[in-house]
Amino acid sequence: MHRLPWKWAWLPLLLLIIAKLEQVGGKTYLDWARTDSQLTRLPFFGGGVGHLLRYLHPLSMSPPSERGKISELRSELDANYVSYRGAQLWKLNFNATRGSSMEEREEDDEAAEERQVLASPDAQFNEVVALFGSEVWNINQDGIDILIERRNVADARKFMDKVGYSYNIMIDDIESAIDESYVEVPAVEHPLDSVRNNSLPWMEVPGSTMNWRRYHDQADIKQFLQTLLETYSENVELIQIGVTRNKRPLEVIRVSNGNPDNWAVFVDAGLQARDWLSPAALTYAISKLTYLWGRPKGKVKGEGQRQSRAEKAMRRIDWYFLPLANPDGYQYSRHTDRLWTKNRGYDSVSGCYGVNLDRNFDYGWDGTGSTSNPCKNLYRGAHSFSEPESRAVRSFLSGMREYLGAYVSLGGYGQTITYPWGDADYVTENQRDLKQTARRAVLALRRLNQAEYSSGTSYRQKLARPGNSADWVQDRIGPQLVFNMFLKDQGRYGYLLPPHYIVESGEEVFEFLRTIAQQLQ
């Protein structure tokens, strides 16, 4: 009996996948031609069969009525697939209560006493989370975003009606929202059409599958960086700063004119695996930066004196970008568990996977807001810098201590620009510069597209995170500027923001980086 060569061993599985695709709704959605974009070469399928499937069969090719069946198909292809069917995202508005008269709501003494105990926001928060919530997604100006598992939805509603708390159901079925995050935006609804009139030419990258009409696979991002290296070899360099536990490279792309007097700015994205927006927005900003850097002057329509000055400032910076700071977790969130947030380190004692990388840096490590339980999302690791991803960032930034002008960590979500500290309400020596730069960025973003961002210390913005990367950089490296930029939105979609918002978010990231470049001059 002859065996297939190892490189063809996946062929039977691929044939099975194709057969499954043909069964969805009695229709075949497999399209080998891919006429929606002009490709000069096929992508590198580093993500395996799952990545190949997504290239051959993007979810957007299915009509909306079939997307639930596509979700079922994902489950069939991965025995470990985590479904969130029936789970909901709620926003708890603890500053308001449902109005009711005495006639409408009569309480006995016991119920009244219960409400008095729960009068404070902290008590209300703890009560709801302890009884019904599986995870808090965010705490923001509008309230607290909390994930309610399907089994708890009915009881949670009864409880909220009983105590009279105000809440909104932001997502009534998490799995349906997950399906929407895999959608590819049709070209007619997407700014990509503007490429033809030369207003957004950086969105068309010859030789790359990146189009910012959908959230891309890790292999697509890797290929995109390689394409930029080949296209702009005079100004672009790829640096591998480490490898993950699953042996994926941590690749930094450097964009520079080579001037030794330049300040350096380091920007990372995607520390939280389920945050797909920040890697997408950052790659968009990188594409725009490299295009504008290498284009002939005056080629883009509408270029004015302000843009020209800002571009000059950006060219005086050595830019270092880490678009995927957690590639293992990112891929796992794409294939198996869309809401996975940690990396994929394995704890042999508990049998659980993953460390929260934004709790693994040593400043404030082991503080309130993290956990020693390896099975929880906020697990901080056995010790600080226990993970190869955080150690790689530490080593790379430590070597830039003398010339690092700014550090920025992008993430989702909240629409806020924060700066240290995140563990307590202390003031940094450079807080005046941080506050001034953040305010300028907020105004610039408002001018850009009426985006409403807030700003302040992580602690005052209710985004305190012990062991986070920004506080460690402020404490140990000490550049002029240190920021977290939490992108869209404010809780309508949370971590499941549809891809329609990628380009808008990419423009916001670019505008923020431009503000930082001007501040460093």
Side-chain angles (χ1 to χ4, degrees), residues 263 396-405 472 475-479:
W263 283 109
F396 192 70
L397 292 181
S398 295
M400 303 171 64
R401 191 186 309 271
E402 299 301 322
Y403 54 91
L404 183 66
W472 175 82
D475 181 59
R476 297 301 177 91
I477 308 299

Side-chain angles (χ1 to χ4, degrees), residues 37-52:
S37 61
Q38 297 179 353
L39 304 180
T40 59
R41 63 185 181 188
L42 289 175
F44 168 65
F45 294 113
V49 175
H51 179 215
L52 177 60

Side-chain angles (χ1 to χ4, degrees), residues 44-72:
F44 168 65
F45 294 113
V49 175
H51 179 215
L52 177 60
L53 171 63
R54 262 171 289 283
Y55 178 77
L56 297 176
H57 187 276
L59 181 62
S60 62
M61 297 171 65
S62 306
S65 61
E66 302 292 347
R67 287 176 187 159
K69 295 181 179 180
I70 295 299
S71 177
E72 295 175 6

Side-chain angles (χ1 to χ4, degrees), residues 277-508:
L277 180 62
S278 67
L282 181 56
T283 51
Y284 175 94
I286 294 170
S287 186
K288 182 173 181 177
L289 176 66
T290 53
Y291 177 86
L292 294 178
W293 204 306
R295 68 173 173 80
K297 292 183 179 179
K299 188 175 180 180
V300 176
K301 292 181 179 180
E303 178 180 347
Q305 188 175 3
R306 172 181 166 272
Q307 287 82 358
S308 179
R309 288 197 303 266
E311 281 186 29
K312 288 180 180 179
M314 297 188 83
R315 288 170 185 251
R316 298 191 185 105
I317 300 293
D318 288 350
W319 297 98
Y320 294 85
F321 301 107
L322 178 60
L324 270 183
N326 182 10
D328 287 352
Y330 181 80
Q331 282 302 97
Y332 188 78
S333 76
R334 291 187 60 84
H335 294 174
T336 305
D337 184 351
R338 175 62 182 88
L339 299 184
W340 186 261
T341 192
K342 302 184 287 184
N343 72 351
R344 291 297 294 165
Y346 179 68
D347 180 74
S348 58
V349 175
S350 65
C352 294
Y353 285 85
V355 170
N356 191 310
L357 296 178
D358 211 24
R359 304 293 190 280
N360 193 236
F361 290 75
D362 72 356
Y363 183 87
W365 184 86
D366 195 21
T368 302
S370 64
T371 178
S372 59
N373 186 343
C375 302
K376 298 295 185 179
N377 277 346
L378 297 181
Y379 178 49
R380 55 182 171 255
H383 54 82
S384 63
F385 292 116
S386 62
E387 304 310 295
E389 296 90 347
S390 57
R391 289 198 302 269
V393 172
R394 176 188 63 180
S395 298
F396 192 70
L397 292 181
S398 295
M400 303 171 64
R401 191 186 309 271
E402 299 301 322
Y403 54 91
L404 183 66
Y407 169 81
V408 178
S409 186
L410 304 176
Y413 61 96
Q415 282 185 218
T416 185
I417 297 170
T418 68
Y419 43 87
W421 302 101
D423 62 331
D425 196 14
Y426 298 141
V427 176
T428 62
E429 294 182 359
N430 59 337
Q431 188 174 74
R432 182 176 180 179
D433 289 338
L434 295 174
K435 188 175 183 178
Q436 183 182 59
T437 304
R439 286 183 172 179
R440 288 180 177 176
V442 167
L443 293 175
L445 293 170
R446 188 176 298 160
R447 287 193 301 266
L448 176 70
N449 58 12
Q450 289 78 52
E452 290 297 331
Y453 277 73
S454 60
S455 65
T457 66
S458 297
Y459 186 85
R460 292 203 170 187
Q461 292 294 310
K462 302 178 182 178
L463 292 167
R465 302 172 323 284
N468 72 80
S469 62
D471 282 1
W472 175 82
V473 171
Q474 175 71 36
D475 181 59
R476 297 301 177 91
I477 308 299
Q480 295 181 40
L481 304 173
V482 178
F483 292 106
N484 284 105
M485 183 181 188
F486 294 94
L487 304 175
K488 295 185 181 308
D489 57 8
Q490 294 182 341
R492 171 61 186 88
Y493 297 102
Y495 292 109
L496 301 176
L497 198 73
H500 300 72
Y501 297 93
I502 292 176
V503 172
E504 187 175 337
S505 299
E507 288 289 343
E508 290 169 6

Side-chain angles (χ1 to χ4, degrees), residues 44-149:
F44 168 65
F45 294 113
V49 175
H51 179 215
L52 177 60
L53 171 63
R54 262 171 289 283
Y55 178 77
L56 297 176
H57 187 276
L59 181 62
S60 62
M61 297 171 65
S62 306
S65 61
E66 302 292 347
R67 287 176 187 159
K69 295 181 179 180
I70 295 299
S71 177
E72 295 175 6
L73 174 60
R74 290 203 305 269
S75 179
E76 289 185 24
L77 293 175
D78 189 338
N80 297 316
Y81 180 78
V82 178
S83 174
Y84 291 89
R85 184 69 63 193
Q88 296 183 343
L89 178 66
W90 288 15
K91 183 179 288 291
L92 309 181
N93 308 310
F94 284 149
N95 293 326
T97 58
R98 297 179 187 272
S100 59
S101 65
M102 290 300 294
E103 293 77 14
E104 293 172 328
R105 182 189 298 273
E106 293 186 5
E107 297 174 328
D108 56 24
D109 293 340
E110 182 178 354
E113 183 178 350
E114 178 185 19
R115 293 193 64 177
Q116 186 175 2
V117 171
L118 296 175
S120 72
D122 287 343
Q124 296 170 357
F125 167 79
N126 292 332
E127 180 80 2
V128 176
V129 172
L131 289 175
F132 310 110
S134 61
E135 185 185 6
V136 175
W137 274 16
N138 202 350
I139 303 175
N140 48 53
Q141 296 174 347
D142 296 331
I144 299 174
D145 301 335
I146 184 172
L147 183 66
I148 308 291
E149 294 181 3

